[in-house]
Amino acid sequence: MVACCFAGFPILYILSASLNQQGTLMSANNLFSHVAIDNYIQLFHLPEQPYGDWYINTIVIGLSTAISSVFVGALAAYAFSRLRFAGRRVGLLALILLQMFPQILSIVAIYLLLTNIGYIVPALGIDSQLALICVYLGGALGTNTYLMYGFFNTVPKEIDEAAKIDGAGHARIFFTIILPLVTPILAVIALLSFIGTVSEYAVASTVLVAPQKQTLAVGLYAFVSQQFSQNWGLFSAGAVLAAVPVVIFFLFLQRYIVSGLTAGSVK
């Protein structure tokens, strides 16, 4: 009960602040002293701060990154777990070393790289959502691959051998046998990738420039970044609505985490 109260109070506080029309943190100290939905309505009527566009952009980028991270990471993890090839051990060590350097250290390099690529391929340059997805995918590939590699190793190799006797190739084994057995880790990776993308600010603020292309994390910061125009009511309302896709995505994946522990192929 203490843990629930400790975790729930910030949520209760920001919900109260979102319903307060005065827009200051001091006025929100008295929980639910003012209750109105004006902040939620005003969010979608600000021409210079298109919250609706931010919302759609965040969902599209988050889902694209989550799906791509799971698919590419699963392919790499299967190769490291089941295949034996030159450079396998070096590749695994490289994945571990890459995790020692946070992505924020490479912001300058990412900016220069995307700027130069944009001259050749505009779709992958600065202010491109596709470029941002590629950056997220590259940054998360190491961690996701290594996590899934450990989970793939828990699946008995006898299942693969039995499928090969029946004439199945690597593609059939991967898509019809291995993936159903490792559904829990796929759901976890998808959830972590989606949450990380929705809440990420540093890289998104560097790559995305136009307000219509920005994500919620970048756009909401504008409500409280300027000293004389801070509006914590609008910020709180936007934060509450931003949490809805994360909750829905978690509830959607929860059943896959449970069912994936028992579903799969048995020879």
Side-chain angles (χ1 to χ4, degrees):
M1 292 178 63
V2 174
C4 290
C5 293
F6 183 79
F9 179 76
I11 300 176
L12 189 66
Y13 187 89
I14 196 170
L15 181 60
S16 174
S18 69
L19 298 173
N20 194 316
Q21 303 178 39
Q22 299 182 20
T24 62
L25 287 180
M26 294 300 297
S27 62
N29 286 338
N30 297 325
L31 296 180
F32 300 102
S33 58
H34 300 85
V35 178
I37 61 173
D38 294 354
N39 289 329
Y40 292 92
I41 298 176
Q42 188 178 356
L43 269 178
F44 297 93
H45 294 82
L46 298 175
E48 298 180 356
Q49 296 167 321
Y51 183 82
D53 293 339
W54 299 343
Y55 208 90
I56 296 175
N57 296 339
T58 301
I59 294 177
V60 171
I61 294 174
L63 290 178
S64 301
T65 303
I67 295 173
S68 302
S69 298
V70 169
F71 182 69
V72 177
L75 289 174
Y78 177 80
F80 282 118
S81 176
R82 291 299 196 265
L83 305 181
R84 295 297 179 266
F85 52 90
R88 174 177 172 273
R89 183 175 297 275
V90 176
L92 288 174
L93 292 176
L95 291 178
I96 299 176
L97 292 176
L98 286 175
Q99 309 316 308
M100 299 176 61
F101 304 96
Q103 195 176 35
I104 193 174
L105 295 179
S106 61
I107 286 183
V108 176
I110 291 173
Y111 179 81
L112 295 176
L113 182 64
L114 294 181
T115 300
N116 293 323
I117 292 178
Y119 294 131
I120 304 174
V121 184
L124 295 177
I126 292 296
D127 205 22
S128 169
Q129 295 178 355
L130 179 60
L132 181 62
I133 294 174
C134 293
V135 172
Y136 285 151
L137 181 59
L141 186 59
T143 303
N144 296 341
T145 300
Y146 200 79
L147 287 175
M148 286 189 278
Y149 164 75
F151 201 94
F152 277 38
N153 287 338
T154 63
V155 179
K157 294 183 179 179
E158 290 76 10
I159 298 178
D160 299 28
E161 296 171 355
K164 290 179 180 178
I165 294 175
D166 293 337
H170 286 296
R172 186 172 183 85
I173 293 173
F174 175 75
F175 286 105
T176 62
I177 298 177
I178 299 298
L179 286 186
L181 291 173
V182 297
T183 303
I185 191 62
L186 299 182
V188 171
I189 293 298
L191 181 62
L192 293 179
S193 298
F194 185 78
I195 294 176
T197 302
V198 170
S199 60
E200 201 280 324
Y201 170 79
V203 177
S205 62
T206 302
V207 177
L208 301 178
V209 179
Q212 293 77 12
K213 296 184 178 181
Q214 292 175 345
T215 59
L216 284 172
V218 180
L220 287 177
Y221 181 69
F223 289 123
V224 294
S225 59
Q226 300 178 7
Q227 182 178 359
F228 298 104
S229 62
Q230 293 179 347
N231 195 322
W232 290 97
L234 288 176
F235 176 84
S236 301
V240 171
L241 293 180
V244 174
V246 178
V247 175
I248 294 176
F249 197 58
F250 172 78
L251 295 176
F252 174 75
L253 292 178
Q254 188 177 24
R255 64 189 182 95
Y256 290 99
I257 297 175
V258 176
S259 62
L261 295 175
T262 56
S265 302
V266 178
K267 176 66 177 178

